[in-house]
Amino acid sequence: MKTSLITTLSFLILTLATQPLLGISSNSEPVLDIIGNKVKSTLEYKLIPVLDGAGGFSTHLGTNGQCPLDVIQLSSPSERGDNLRLLPYDNYKIVKVSTDVNLRFPVKVSVKPCNEEPLWKVDSYDDPLIVTGGSEGHPGAETLLNWFKIEKAGNFSYGGVYNIVHCPSVCLSCPRRCNKIGVSTKDGVRRLLLVGDHEPALNVLFFPSEESSRLLQAANAISRFFEAAEAISMTA
């Protein structure tokens, strides 16, 4: 019965998707969106979280009520959050796995009293919250905190699930951290931050924001599939 349910859910995903989501072993493989298309720096995407029962991503005043703004995950699964662009360090159009990228909300952030660039960065290695206010491009020591990588989530056999990682290669001589991004909840706000090896990381799908509502339904179905599969595995 359990096997039959998983098979049925798998068939549902394959039916909704227009292309197979097949990964390849090379580290230069492209990042894929939920329908198997290559993620491009010229397009905008929604990040769809997997399994955590929360929503998309946006900004919020910092923990001290001041700037910079924190990057947060919205609490309701129905809230898809802001669009995101991924900008590779080499200005290449196709976003690739394990390649340094800037992550940018496309609209300039203007939340009183803040008025800053909507580019993600690590606040500091002492306080590793993910905040806005980074500087786009110019890979090197001065921009070390602004760079992230997209890595395949190793705990999923499904090829379209990814982690966001801060492990910059733009300055090989610089001291750096290599950590995945997770979530910490305080006062009801789910803030993004770097987490340790044994802490849960965000697992996300990339949904092309300009696509039709049918594809949004596919994204929701995929999220429900993972939730059902996880529940089955816990009771097996």
Side-chain angles (χ1 to χ4, degrees), residues 103 120 122 128-130 147-156 161-168 177-184 191-204:
L103 301 175
W120 294 25
V122 180
L129 290 171
I130 308 303
W147 297 100
F148 301 89
K149 293 177 179 175
I150 309 302
E151 303 284 4
K152 296 177 71 173
N155 53 331
F156 288 93
V161 183
Y162 296 93
N163 298 136
I164 303 175
V165 179
H166 175 72
C167 188
R177 290 180 60 167
C178 285
N179 297 86
K180 296 177 182 178
I181 289 181
V183 175
S184 175
R191 290 180 167 86
L192 273 59
L193 77 169
L194 303 184
V195 296
D197 292 339
H198 302 293
E199 298 176 273
L202 274 172
N203 299 301
V204 296

Side-chain angles (χ1 to χ4, degrees), residues 10 16 23 32 74 78 82 143 154 159 162 174 186 188 190 192 212 219 230:
S10 299
L16 287 168
L32 302 178
L74 300 171
S78 64
D82 298 329
T143 61
Y162 296 93
C174 296
K186 183 178 180 180
R190 297 171 59 87
L192 273 59
S212 67
E230 179 77 0

Side-chain angles (χ1 to χ4, degrees), residues 180-229:
K180 296 177 182 178
I181 289 181
V183 175
S184 175
T185 302
K186 183 178 180 180
D187 298 328
V189 180
R190 297 171 59 87
R191 290 180 167 86
L192 273 59
L193 77 169
L194 303 184
V195 296
D197 292 339
H198 302 293
E199 298 176 273
L202 274 172
N203 299 301
V204 296
L205 304 160
F206 290 94
F207 173 75
S209 62
E210 79 284 0
E211 294 289 357
S212 67
S213 60
R214 187 181 71 85
L215 292 181
L216 182 55
Q217 293 171 0
N220 291 334
I222 290 172
S223 294
R224 290 195 298 271
F225 166 75
F226 284 119
E227 290 169 1

Side-chain angles (χ1 to χ4, degrees), residues 6-83:
I6 292 177
T7 301
T8 301
L9 289 168
S10 299
F11 179 77
L12 170 64
I13 303 309
L14 291 174
T15 301
L16 287 168
T18 59
Q19 300 182 34
L21 291 165
L22 301 177
I24 54 178
S25 60
S26 170
N27 283 339
S28 62
E29 66 182 280
V31 177
L32 302 178
D33 66 21
I34 66 165
I35 54 174
N37 292 329
K38 297 175 182 178
V39 171
K40 298 179 180 180
S41 62
T42 54
L43 300 179
E44 297 178 6
Y45 296 86
K46 299 284 189 187
L47 291 187
I48 307 296
V50 176
L51 289 181
D52 67 355
F57 301 87
S58 188
T59 55
H60 191 277
L61 280 175
T63 53
N64 57 0
Q66 299 179 1
C67 307
L69 296 174
D70 293 337
V71 179
I72 65 164
Q73 183 181 23
L74 300 171
S75 58
S76 172
S78 64
E79 297 178 289
R80 289 301 177 185
D82 298 329
N83 292 343

